Every structure is written in C-alpha cells, then in structure tokens.
Amino acid sequence: MSMNQQSLLPTLPVEIVYYICDCLDAKTILVSFRNICRRLRNIINNYDNYILDFTNTSQSDFRLICHLINPQRVKSLTLSQQTTTFDQTIFFDKQFHVKDFSRLRSLTLISIKESRLRAVLKHINISSLVSFSLEIGEHKKQHDHVTATVLTSILTRTSLHKLALNIEPNRIEAIEWPDPCTIEELKIDKCISFDSIRRILRHLPRLRTLIIDCYSIKTIHPTNLTAYCRQLTSVSLEKLDMNIADLEFLLQSMTSLTDLKLTGNGNYFDGHRWEKFIQTNLLGLKKFQFYFSDYQDDQLNYPDIEQIIRSFQTPFWIQLKKWFVICECNINIPEWIKLYSIPNCMAKVNSKVEPINISLSTLSTAIDTDAPIVVNTDYICFNFKKLASSDIEQQREPKPYPLLRTKNYLALLFGSERPVDWIPFISLFIDLTTITKIALGGRLISAANQSILDDIKILLQQACHVNLVLLRDTPLNQEPLLLTANNICYIIPTHIRCLRVTIKDMSEAKIILERLTHVSSARFYFDHTPCCDEFQQWFESKNLSYQIEPSFVSVRRKKISVPSNKQNVGNKRIKLTDNHHD
C-alpha cells in the first residue's frame, strides 16, 4: 500500500468509518482500527452499534474487550458458558454495574447456568430488548420457578418481538404468557406437548414466524387451531416423528403460510398427497423446504425411488411451484431413504468425497422449461450411462447462466459410448469454475478411450479451481478403473494439487510423481497390499513422506514444486496470465 493510500483512511467521512465498523468484530475495532490515528479514535469513541459475540472467545480477549468497551454503546450481546474453565457471567457480573447496558436491543445467553440467570439480567435494561435468546446449560430444580418468573417478566415488555428458548419443557409450561403478547417470532428448541403449543399460540396474536421441535407430539387433539394460527406466515417444524395424518391436521390450521420448512423422520414421500393438501389448505405457500428420512421394512430398489420421484414430477411441482427434490438411498443400508428439497435445507449434512448413494432428482424434468432454475447444491452426478444422446441433443440451446450453482463436487460416469458435446451439456447446469473436486469413472475411461481422455483434459483445464481429482473404483462406478501413468499424466493440468487414482503397481506411481511435480499429495489404490520397500530410498531422495495401508499408499511432498508462472523473453522477464488458483 502506498503512502497516499495510507493517508486516505483517516480522511474518510464519518458515515464510511461507521460502515467499516459495522463489518468488523469488536476486538478489531477497539484494539486495531481505533488506534490508527487520533481522528479515528475520536470517531469510534462515538460509535454505538457494537455487536459483542463472546462465543468461543478466549478468556484474555473477553477481559480485554470488557475493559475497553463502553456498554452503553452495545447493540447486541452474546454470552456463552461453553467451557468449564472460565465463567463469562461471573466476570461480567463483577465488571459491569446495574443498567450499564442501557441501549441493548438483542441478548443471547448460551449454555448459561440457571443459577446465574438473574445475576446476568440485572445488568440489562430488559425494557429495551427486541430480541432475547436463552439456552440453559445446567438446570437446577430449585431454580425452575425463578426461571419462569424471569421469563414472564421479560415477556411483558412491549418492545420484545423475537424470542428463542432452549430450556426444559416444564420451564416453558410454567411461563405465564401476557395476553396479548407482542412476540412476532418464536423459536422453541425443546419438544413440548400439543396442548402447550395451543396454549402459547392463544396468547400470541402478532406471531408471524414459529420454529419448534415436534418429535414428542404423538397425539394431536381434535382441536381447531385456525383462530390462533391465521396470522402465521412462516413455520418450521423440526425433528418430526408423527404420522402424516397428524402432521396434516396440525398444518391445515395455518392457512396463511407463505414459507414452510419440515425436517424429521417419517413416511412423507407421497408427492401426490402433498400436492392435494397444499392446493386445498395452503394456497398462499411460496416456499416449501423439507428433509425427510425413513426406514422401510422392505429394502428399496431403484424402481421404488423412481416411483417416489415420479410423484413429484407433476406440473404442480415442476411448472407451477418450481419446487425440485432429490430422493436417495444408501446402497449399504437400502432400507433408509431420504427425500429433500433443493437446495438442501439441513444446516449440517454428512458428506463424503466418495458417494455411496443412489440418487434421483426431479431437476432433469425441468430442463426443458424456459424459466431460470437456480439452486445450490454441494454435489451433483451426471450418469451418462442413463442419459441418452437425444437428451443431450435437446439441450443445445444456451442458457443465460447455469441452472445449478454447484460449488464443491462433480461426479461423471460414462458408459460404453462417448456422449457427443457432453462438456457443453453439463456447462448448461453448472459453472465449472466453481468445482473443487471431480470424480471420473465408467467403461470409456477404464478402456482409456483416447477421445474421452481428450475431453477430460479439456474439462479439467476449464475447471480451473479443481484441487482434487479421483480416478478409481467407487460403489457407483463398479467397472475396474486402471489407467496407465501416461494416461493420467496426459489429462492432469498444472493446477491440480491432489490425486486419488487406481494404478497397477508402484512403478506407475513413481512415473506420476516424477512428471506431475505440481501434485502435492496423492493416494494410489491397488487390488493388493502394495510393497514399497524397494522405493523407500527413492521416496527419501525426492523428499516425499509416505504411509502404507492394506489397499493404498498415501504420498505427500515435503516441499511442493510448482511450475513457474514467469518466463524469459530476451533479457526481460514477463509474468504470464494465471487464470486459476489453488
């Protein structure tokens, strides 16, 4: 940075400085940004939009920030008791005086001991709170009445609009909800009974958003909730474990819904039934997210998944709503099936580099529609064994942008014939520059067909951010995949850093490692236990570390050799354009 550029920062308008502060954490503002110059110090001393989030904060940083901060300028505060070595609430109690946080709008307490709740809240002006979130990490029976009393007091404040509770159900049931209550968004992370839900909703005439665990609701009483739910526009029911009829009874009271999210276990896989229910009861529904899993007594096979998917391929799903789904089962546990909307609405989903799922999606049905379809997904597989040439031929019309935003993993499986124009075809769906991992398999690659190798070389050059390439047998690719070292070196471009390949013997691995010096780590798979004794001296001479397992050898360079992006022209050195990154 030049001196002129450095001198511009202290001259920025106050509004720009405050905007920068809005994008920084409190420690950076107080310790670094504030001390650049006297003018910035004066400006930041008047900054009153601090968001203090002490989740996973070290004890030293916590004490430092508490010492520097003016509590009257804090807008949002998160305290956490997630470690046993340091209780933030005790230091907080000693550091600040009553009503110090006079302008606080949002308070989040995570894993707080129930015995410390009242002590923390005495420093807060609860009359100013707009949002309050409470998770109690250590419950004590003698404090259950105290907790209910404290929450009742908070709920009487007319400024409070958002409430999140992760406390024992009996504490929730003991709350005396004011009538009417001003809460507009309610989240309850503990399972409560149907009667409790009905009682709470009766006091919340302004409630618009409801997020709640429902796995304990085994019996739904025949009570009409429409009078209490007509104002709800967004509902999320999590950890479902009830039959479909009870779920429908609960949802049919929420006639004003525009946004619905459902996750849990149960047989909710009938698209025709969902279509009929939504068209009858939820006419205003615009967004429908779900993630369902279920254990079937009879093992599912591929046609069964096709039958499920077919029920979600009607004009209602594809053309009217443009809601698309994926159905999959694990080939090792075929009784378990999953059905979820795209994009996947689960915050945490287990994913492995090598998929073991049979998967079908309704997206292929929507290819012919003109309307843009933009979804996010971490994994997509193109199985050219099942895609006919006519399917590819019909998709020559370019789209203004890819239909899928895939930013992680692409798998390609080929049959015995080379698909024509298959690279432009998949480019209609995904932006190749967003892919970081590619798996390749199938008969054509196993046979080292030169045309498909040429294609793959072009594909990997276009996928300029790919870091990992897999060329090996997988449960979805059962043809033996055994390319020669020359084949592998031919198709791998210089931006690839990691390889997972099946080879014949270690002499082939030696060729790959000698020629592909840009590859920093590799795993070579064998159909036998590899013997590396004779290569030990060679590994050491090449500064390579290695680990031998029963069916593969992992190799890593201790020092990466990356091709230079500079070349000499005459007596001058010029820098070449580099269109890829690690």
Side-chain angles (χ1 to χ4, degrees):
M1 183 180 289
S2 68
M3 292 299 295
N4 288 335
Q5 289 174 314
Q6 288 180 338
S7 64
L8 290 176
L9 185 57
T11 65
L12 291 174
V14 175
E15 293 80 7
I16 301 299
V17 175
Y18 284 169
Y19 178 80
I20 294 173
C21 289
D22 288 343
C23 301
L24 301 176
D25 62 89
K27 181 183 176 182
T28 302
I29 297 172
L30 295 168
V31 177
S32 301
F33 194 43
R34 178 173 173 265
N35 293 321
I36 291 177
C37 67
R38 183 177 299 175
R39 178 174 181 269
L40 284 179
R41 178 186 290 267
N42 292 333
I43 292 174
I44 292 174
N45 283 343
N46 293 314
Y47 178 68
D48 61 357
N49 205 37
Y50 282 101
I51 297 176
L52 298 186
D53 186 348
F54 290 121
T55 308
N56 300 321
T57 301
S58 67
Q59 180 176 343
S60 58
D61 283 349
F62 180 84
R63 292 178 180 270
L64 176 63
I65 294 171
C66 288
H67 176 72
L68 295 175
I69 196 72
N70 180 349
Q72 295 181 357
R73 301 192 182 279
V74 176
K75 179 183 72 172
S76 175
L77 172 64
T78 299
L79 290 176
S80 174
Q81 180 55 44
Q82 295 181 319
T83 66
T84 57
T85 58
F86 178 60
D87 191 330
Q88 292 182 357
T89 64
I90 294 178
F91 183 82
F92 182 85
D93 193 19
K94 294 178 180 179
Q95 179 73 17
F96 299 106
H97 300 290
V98 178
K99 310 305 180 187
D100 276 351
F101 289 84
S102 58
R103 299 184 64 255
L104 197 66
R105 298 293 179 268
S106 175
L107 176 62
T108 300
L109 304 177
I110 301 175
S111 298
I112 298 297
K113 294 179 180 178
E114 195 168 19
S115 58
R116 299 288 306 148
L117 179 60
R118 189 186 291 273
V120 173
L121 291 177
K122 76 178 183 180
H123 299 283
I124 307 300
N125 179 13
I126 61 175
S127 298
S128 66
L129 285 182
V130 175
S131 174
F132 179 62
S133 177
L134 173 63
E135 175 190 335
I136 293 180
E138 182 181 288
H139 291 84
K140 294 291 184 179
K141 183 173 179 58
Q142 62 268 31
H143 296 293
D144 56 357
H145 177 71
V146 174
T147 299
T149 302
V150 168
L151 290 175
T152 298
S153 175
I154 292 176
L155 288 171
T156 60
R157 309 302 170 175
T158 58
S159 62
L160 192 68
H161 297 314
K162 296 177 64 175
L163 177 66
L165 298 176
N166 189 351
I167 61 178
E168 291 300 305
N170 65 316
R171 267 68 166 179
I172 298 175
E173 293 171 359
I175 296 173
E176 295 183 11
W177 297 78
D179 195 5
C181 184
T182 58
I183 297 296
E184 297 177 1
E185 180 178 324
L186 175 64
K187 180 179 181 181
I188 297 179
D189 284 330
K190 293 291 185 181
C191 56
I192 57 176
S193 65
F194 177 78
D195 285 336
S196 295
I197 294 175
R198 180 180 56 187
R199 187 172 65 87
I200 291 172
L201 291 177
R202 187 178 62 193
H203 296 283
L204 304 179
R206 299 186 185 180
L207 191 66
R208 300 290 181 270
T209 301
L210 176 64
I211 304 170
I212 194 167
D213 281 358
C214 286
Y215 69 88
S216 70
I217 302 179
K218 302 299 183 182
T219 304
I220 304 293
H221 301 301
T223 303
N224 192 333
L225 297 178
T226 304
Y228 308 139
C229 298
R230 61 166 57 99
Q231 77 284 2
L232 283 172
T233 58
S234 177
V235 167
S236 177
L237 304 180
E238 302 175 354
K239 301 177 184 176
L240 286 168
D241 187 12
M242 62 176 73
N243 64 60
I244 184 67
D246 285 343
L247 177 59
E248 288 176 337
F249 182 84
L250 184 62
L251 292 174
Q252 71 183 10
S253 302
M254 306 173 182
T255 56
S256 299
L257 285 185
T258 60
D259 187 347
L260 176 61
K261 178 181 175 181
L262 305 172
T263 65
N265 300 323
N267 189 356
Y268 311 124
F269 301 137
D270 188 345
H272 297 304
R273 182 167 182 166
W274 278 115
E275 177 180 341
K276 181 179 179 181
F277 177 80
I278 292 171
Q279 288 186 316
T280 304
N281 301 282
L282 305 177
L283 297 178
L285 195 63
K286 297 179 180 179
K287 186 177 182 180
F288 185 26
Q289 302 176 84
F290 53 84
Y291 190 99
F292 301 136
S293 61
D294 193 32
Y295 186 85
Q296 303 287 317
D297 292 335
D298 298 324
Q299 290 190 358
L300 256 72
N301 52 35
Y302 197 76
D304 293 321
I305 296 181
E306 287 183 333
Q307 183 177 358
I308 293 173
I309 281 292
R310 197 174 297 118
S311 70
F312 290 90
Q313 289 178 327
T314 64
F316 169 83
W317 293 94
I318 303 301
Q319 298 173 11
L320 179 62
K321 293 296 188 179
K322 296 182 176 61
W323 294 335
F324 307 102
V325 304
I326 291 177
C327 186
E328 62 183 37
C329 72
N330 188 305
I331 63 173
N332 294 326
I333 316 174
E335 298 89 351
W336 273 108
I337 55 174
K338 292 185 289 186
L339 178 74
Y340 53 91
S341 56
I342 303 175
N344 196 323
C345 62
M346 292 291 283
K348 296 180 180 180
V349 179
N350 293 329
S351 60
K352 296 184 179 180
V353 174
E354 297 166 17
I356 54 175
N357 291 328
I358 298 174
S359 177
L360 286 178
S361 170
T362 59
L363 272 173
S364 57
T365 310
I367 292 175
D368 296 329
T369 62
D370 295 328
I373 306 161
V374 181
V375 297
N376 298 293
T377 179
D378 285 334
Y379 165 76
I380 184 172
C381 176
F382 288 90
N383 190 341
F384 290 103
K385 299 176 184 179
K386 298 183 178 297
L387 275 170
S389 299
S390 58
D391 297 327
I392 300 177
E393 181 69 23
Q394 292 174 2
Q395 303 309 317
R396 290 185 177 273
E397 186 69 26
K399 301 290 190 296
Y401 45 78
L403 298 177
L404 299 173
R405 289 177 179 165
T406 304
K407 52 187 177 182
N408 192 5
Y409 182 27
L410 170 66
L412 301 173
L413 300 178
F414 296 91
S416 56
E417 296 184 4
R418 172 179 174 266
V420 178
D421 295 333
W422 63 272
I423 297 179
F425 172 73
I426 65 174
S427 296
L428 295 174
F429 294 86
I430 59 176
D431 180 358
L432 289 174
T433 63
T434 64
I435 301 299
T436 59
K437 291 175 282 189
I438 289 184
L440 301 158
R443 294 180 183 177
L444 276 178
I445 297 180
S446 302
N449 177 278
Q450 187 60 46
S451 296
I452 203 67
L453 293 181
D454 291 339
D455 289 346
I456 291 172
K457 182 178 182 180
I458 295 172
L459 173 76
L460 292 177
Q461 288 171 343
Q462 293 182 13
C464 57
H465 290 101
V466 167
N467 184 62
L468 170 65
V469 173
L470 297 98
L471 290 159
R472 63 163 303 218
D473 307 338
T474 68
L476 290 182
N477 169 42
Q478 298 177 357
E479 293 86 357
L481 187 57
L482 196 65
L483 293 177
T484 66
N486 287 334
N487 294 146
I488 294 171
C489 293
Y490 174 72
I491 65 174
I492 299 298
T494 57
H495 62 271
I496 304 300
R497 297 289 179 262
C498 303
L499 276 181
R500 305 286 185 268
V501 296
T502 302
I503 57 174
K504 181 180 180 181
D505 52 44
M506 279 303 299
S507 61
E508 295 279 282
K510 181 178 177 181
I511 296 173
I512 294 172
L513 292 170
E514 285 182 325
R515 292 176 57 181
L516 300 182
T517 57
H518 51 86
V519 172
S520 61
S521 69
R523 180 172 293 176
F524 300 104
Y525 290 87
F526 305 88
D527 59 2
H528 57 278
T529 300
C531 179
C532 297
D533 294 343
E534 60 183 296
F535 293 95
Q536 183 174 357
Q537 186 175 356
W538 182 82
F539 281 134
E540 294 176 352
S541 68
K542 296 297 182 180
N543 204 24
L544 297 169
S545 61
Y546 68 95
Q547 180 179 350
I548 304 175
E549 299 292 342
S551 60
F552 65 84
V553 174
S554 295
V555 181
R556 182 176 296 275
R557 297 186 192 275
K558 298 178 183 177
K559 184 177 180 180
I560 304 172
S561 175
V562 181
S564 173
N565 65 345
K566 297 182 179 180
Q567 69 181 26
N568 291 327
V569 180
N571 294 324
K572 297 182 178 180
R573 177 176 287 182
I574 64 173
K575 185 175 181 179
L576 301 178
T577 302
D578 186 5
N579 291 325
H580 58 263
H581 307 278
D582 291 348

